[in-house]
Amino acid sequence: MTLGLISKKKEASDVYSFIFHSEEDFGWKPGQFLMYRVEHPNPDERGERRYFSIASAPFEKQIILTTRFDRERGSSFKKVLFGLPIGSTIYAEGPRGSFVIDDPTGNCVFIAGGIGVTPFRAILLDLDYQRLPINAILLYASRTNDIVYKEEFDQLAKRHSDLKIHYIVPPNYLDEIAIRKYVPDLAKLYFYISGPKPMVVDFEELLPGMGVPAEHIKRDYFPGYDRL
Ligand SMILES: Cc1cc2nc3c(=O)[nH]c(=O)nc-3n(C[C@H](O)[C@H](O)[C@H](O)COP(=O)(O)OP(=O)(O)OC[C@H]3O[C@@H](n4cnc5c(N)ncnc54)[C@H](O)[C@@H]3O)c2cc1C
């Protein structure tokens, strides 16, 4: 499908959202992603295609792609994406992915590493829009206090007393100690982990040893980031 760029929004010092309109009426589940193709001359070895979670909930009627931009070492794909004029079109395929909430009434723990927070924005805004109770703990690790979506998340937490959000910034880290501190009754909860691949793999190994049944763990990992 073809997506038209409507606007860009700065979310944090090096993170931007790209807001697209689709001519085609297509549906997606919060937590799913699209494959994007941005054609450009002389693409680097990482090529012209990337996957990005849809950071918007379906009721917003827009596709939001939020991503980090490394000005010095960024890929040719990101350089072209960041330079796209409003009104430009790009190609996308999807939606794909099963990183979706199976039981909206269940008690969940959302573990987000950096820009891995994008699917949780869609999931949380959708639950709020549907007026469902949000029984969730969001553990959100960020490299700095410049936290992507913080204002929107804080508004949600004000409206939902059972949504607990913990922003974890250095010198604190999202690790076993943080899990034990913020998450009670580990065995009863459903864990959704999203972030850089090394972080997701660490949690997949850690959580079963802490008593979380393997079937209570879902993950979405973002290749291409070696840190938060
Ligand atoms: C299902 C899914 C959903 C995703 N959702 C999102 C999302 O919502 N937002 C998002 O930002 N990303 C998301 N990603 C990851 C995304 O697809 C890209 O892999 C990521 O943004 C890195 O982009 P880039 O390769 O253009 O690198 P850049 O962002 O331009 O660079 C990232 C870092 O890669 C390092 N790097 C430099 N050279 C290389 C190299 N040759 N190979 C690898 N790394 C290098 C640098 O340290 C640089 O800081 C998702 C991935 C998947 C699979």
Side-chain angles (χ1 to χ4, degrees):
M1 77 188 114
T2 302
L3 301 180
L5 182 63
I6 305 171
S7 59
K8 303 179 194 179
K9 180 183 174 200
K10 187 170 182 170
E11 302 280 6
S13 66
D14 55 353
V15 175
Y16 291 79
S17 283
F18 297 82
I19 298 144
F20 294 97
H21 169 73
S22 165
E23 288 299 328
E24 227 174 272
D25 198 13
F26 85 103
W28 71 93
K29 290 184 187 161
Q32 289 193 300
F33 63 90
L34 292 177
M35 190 282 292
Y36 295 80
R37 192 176 76 225
V38 176
E39 289 176 350
H40 57 281
N42 307 317
D44 64 19
E45 74 280 4
R46 282 182 270 173
E48 295 184 323
R49 291 161 190 259
R50 291 291 186 285
Y51 298 110
F52 293 101
S53 299
I54 305 174
S56 42
F59 76 88
E60 295 181 275
K61 308 268 183 228
Q62 294 172 331
I63 310 293
I64 301 183
L65 180 173
T66 304
T67 192
R68 171 160 285 145
F69 183 42
D70 182 329
R71 279 173 206 284
E72 281 151 32
R73 304 207 305 152
S75 59
S76 63
F77 177 100
K78 291 266 178 96
K79 285 183 179 135
V80 174
L81 176 69
F82 277 78
L84 276 184
I86 303 301
S88 317
T89 56
I90 62 168
Y91 179 77
E93 260 178 44
R96 297 181 192 165
S98 56
F99 193 71
V100 298
I101 298 293
D102 300 312
D103 174 10
T105 61
N107 292 314
C108 301
V109 180
F110 299 141
I111 297 183
I115 199 66
V117 74
T118 49
F120 297 128
R121 180 189 181 278
I123 288 168
L124 289 169
L125 262 70
D126 182 67
L127 291 171
D128 179 59
Y129 178 75
Q130 293 193 56
R131 298 182 184 275
L132 288 167
I134 306 182
N135 300 310
I137 299 169
L138 170 63
L139 301 180
Y140 177 5
S142 172
R143 279 185 294 168
T144 69
N145 279 309
D146 193 11
I147 295 171
V148 175
Y149 308 144
K150 183 169 187 301
E151 221 168 280
E152 286 177 298
F153 286 164
D154 288 346
Q155 289 300 325
L156 284 176
K158 275 187 196 156
R159 289 202 292 280
H160 296 268
S161 57
D162 290 328
L163 170 62
K164 307 287 180 216
I165 302 182
H166 302 284
Y167 302 107
I168 300 172
V169 293
N172 298 310
Y173 292 96
L174 183 41
D175 54 12
E176 181 171 353
I177 295 169
I179 301 275
R180 292 206 187 279
K181 180 172 173 188
Y182 296 121
V183 186
D185 297 331
L186 289 165
K188 293 187 188 149
L189 303 171
Y190 289 84
F191 284 75
Y192 293 77
I193 314 165
S194 175
K197 188 171 177 181
M199 184 207 96
V200 174
V201 170
D202 283 353
F203 276 104
E204 272 185 305
E205 287 169 7
L206 176 72
L207 292 173
M210 294 176 74
V212 179
E215 63 274 18
H216 285 200
I217 303 172
K218 264 196 176 184
R219 87 280 189 282
D220 210 15
Y221 54 67
F222 290 12
Y225 291 115
D226 48 8
R227 56 190 166 75
L228 294 182

